[in-house]
Amino acid sequence: MGRYSDSQEWADITPIPQNDGGPNPLAAIAYTEEYSEAMGYFRAVTARNEKSERALELTEHIISMNPAHYTIWLYRANTIFELQRKNQSNLQDDILEELQWLDNLSLKHLKNYQIWHHRQTLMTRLPSMPSTELSFLAQMFAKDAKNYHVWSYRQWLVRHFSLWDTELPYIESLLTADVRNNSAWNHRWFVLFGQHIDPSSGKGMDEVGNIVDEDLLDREVDYTQQKIRLAPQNQSPWNYLRGLLRKRGSLLECKSFAEEFMGDLEDGGDGCRSSHALDFFADCMAEEKEAEKAGKALELLAKRYDPIRRNYWNYRRRLLGLGAVEA
């Protein structure tokens, strides 16, 4: 017998079965009996637009079986808000109670993005961020420091609650723990430069006429170089460095820095400690119109230090008017 069909609480509801296209569906999904029954009652509840405590409990039951069901999450959020309106309860208390339930679920289902959309929906109703929010996100990152869904949510949180001035120390702690955390490098860029995005154009303020903060760029270039020295073959800070220098319009100020890691070009690149330094140097030489020197760096990448991408490096050589090289 069923959980709902045997319950007096649900006696007034006639479940609506799923329509798979007739009595002999081509590819019916083999749902469990428990899930099929719960969804039948959910369809009946939504058909009458019922926002009640029992509807809320029903969504919790279905989420326990299928936490990726977006429609259930949306109905749950709307039910919470409607119940608060009807009961005249404290919305912030209701949301904090929901977040506490959600925390445990999030730690169990690390890669579920519907959970994070639901959390964001709840947060939009709060005047300020709960004091426990950042510590919970730290728990999530302790389990997976590069969880895309959590990082996306954190970016939204920073922008929504204007946390720009307090975020940098946390990012630095993550990069101290793991300098190869590409997600932390991306978030650092967002915190330092995302604040200055013009919502009307989607461009950075420096692209629409505002002056670039040269002191900030100086500090970030120095910081990034320090991190590159810790792990020269780590691509993330090299990309970050390029982004900084492009705001100034030239890579050349860090050409000598790249040369520290690329070995001797004329001696087959012996002593090279970073393929990314060779790539960076090639772009510097292209900027200076030194095609042969750029081509030599690209040749070393194609032949010795990154042959898996030989076709790409040869493409870059052709852009300089040079011929392809063989492995």
Side-chain angles (χ1 to χ4, degrees), residues 283-326:
D283 281 341
C284 288
M285 291 296 94
E287 187 178 329
E288 290 192 316
K289 310 300 182 185
E290 295 278 358
E292 290 299 326
K293 290 183 179 179
K296 183 62 178 178
L298 295 171
E299 179 182 348
L300 287 173
L301 287 165
K303 284 187 171 182
R304 184 171 181 182
Y305 290 107
D306 192 11
I308 196 69
R309 294 198 295 166
R310 183 177 71 254
N311 289 342
Y312 171 67
W313 302 123
N314 278 331
Y315 164 75
R316 291 267 299 275
R317 282 177 58 86
R318 288 194 295 273
L319 292 178
L320 297 170
L322 303 173
V325 296
E326 297 299 326

Side-chain angles (χ1 to χ4, degrees), residues 14-28:
T14 301
I16 299 175
Q18 177 163 308
N19 182 358
D20 283 326
N24 299 299
L26 180 63

Side-chain angles (χ1 to χ4, degrees), residues 122-141:
L122 298 173
M123 286 291 175
T124 59
R125 301 299 183 101
L126 295 177
S128 61
M129 183 182 67
S131 60
T132 57
E133 190 66 3
L134 294 183
S135 61
F136 170 68
L137 294 186
Q139 281 186 268
M140 292 297 302
F141 287 136

Side-chain angles (χ1 to χ4, degrees), residues 27-259:
I29 299 175
Y31 296 115
T32 65
E33 183 178 333
E34 180 184 8
Y35 184 79
S36 294
E37 184 197 33
M39 284 302 300
Y41 278 84
F42 177 74
R43 293 185 199 97
V45 164
T46 56
R48 55 194 276 175
N49 196 31
E50 177 184 325
K51 305 292 198 308
S52 62
E53 290 292 345
R54 70 175 182 179
L56 197 63
E57 292 172 3
L58 177 61
T59 63
E60 182 175 347
H61 181 211
I62 295 172
I63 286 169
S64 71
M65 296 183 284
N66 181 10
H69 200 314
Y70 172 77
T71 303
I72 306 298
W73 283 108
L74 181 60
Y75 200 82
R76 181 176 180 85
N78 290 336
T79 299
I80 290 171
F81 300 144
E82 180 62 19
L83 286 174
Q84 185 275 329
R85 188 190 66 81
K86 287 179 180 177
N87 300 334
Q88 292 297 296
S89 57
N90 186 298
L91 179 60
Q92 185 158 336
D93 289 345
D94 292 345
I95 289 177
L96 291 177
E97 182 180 349
E98 178 75 356
L99 289 174
Q100 188 174 14
W101 170 76
L102 198 59
D103 287 356
N104 294 325
L105 203 64
S106 303
L107 290 165
K108 183 179 179 181
H109 302 285
L110 297 179
K111 299 295 187 180
N112 181 300
Y113 72 84
Q114 289 88 352
I115 287 176
W116 294 97
H117 185 271
H118 183 66
R119 195 179 195 95
Q120 182 174 321
T121 300
L122 298 173
M123 286 291 175
T124 59
R125 301 299 183 101
L126 295 177
S128 61
M129 183 182 67
S131 60
T132 57
E133 190 66 3
L134 294 183
S135 61
F136 170 68
L137 294 186
Q139 281 186 268
M140 292 297 302
F141 287 136
K143 285 184 169 291
D144 181 359
K146 301 176 184 180
N147 189 318
Y148 173 80
H149 306 307
V150 186
W151 279 113
S152 296
Y153 171 76
R154 191 172 184 117
Q155 286 195 1
W156 176 86
L157 205 67
V158 167
R159 188 178 294 282
H160 184 73
F161 290 113
S162 195
L163 306 177
W164 307 103
D165 296 334
T166 59
E167 191 75 345
L168 201 56
Y170 178 66
I171 302 170
E172 293 188 350
S173 72
L174 291 177
L175 290 174
T176 298
D178 179 11
V179 74
R180 294 175 176 83
N181 188 337
N182 56 296
S183 299
W185 280 107
N186 180 71
H187 193 61
R188 186 180 185 91
W189 183 274
F190 169 77
V191 168
L192 291 177
F193 302 106
Q195 182 179 5
H196 306 295
I197 295 296
D198 175 13
S200 65
S201 68
K203 295 182 178 180
M205 291 301 194
D206 53 306
E207 297 177 80
V208 293
N210 285 23
I211 298 174
V212 173
D213 186 338
E214 293 293 342
D215 290 338
L216 171 62
L217 291 181
D218 285 340
R219 185 194 75 194
E220 287 301 296
V221 166
D222 181 65
Y223 176 86
T224 307
Q225 288 179 339
Q226 292 178 39
K227 295 302 183 184
I228 288 174
R229 287 191 171 97
L230 295 175
Q233 191 54 20
N234 178 18
Q235 187 173 10
S236 292
W238 283 104
N239 289 342
Y240 189 87
L241 183 63
R242 284 174 178 270
L244 296 171
L245 297 177
R246 281 172 179 159
K247 285 187 172 293
R248 285 179 166 159
S250 174
L251 301 178
L252 294 179
E253 70 175 88
C254 288
K255 181 182 74 170
S256 60
F257 173 75
E259 289 175 318

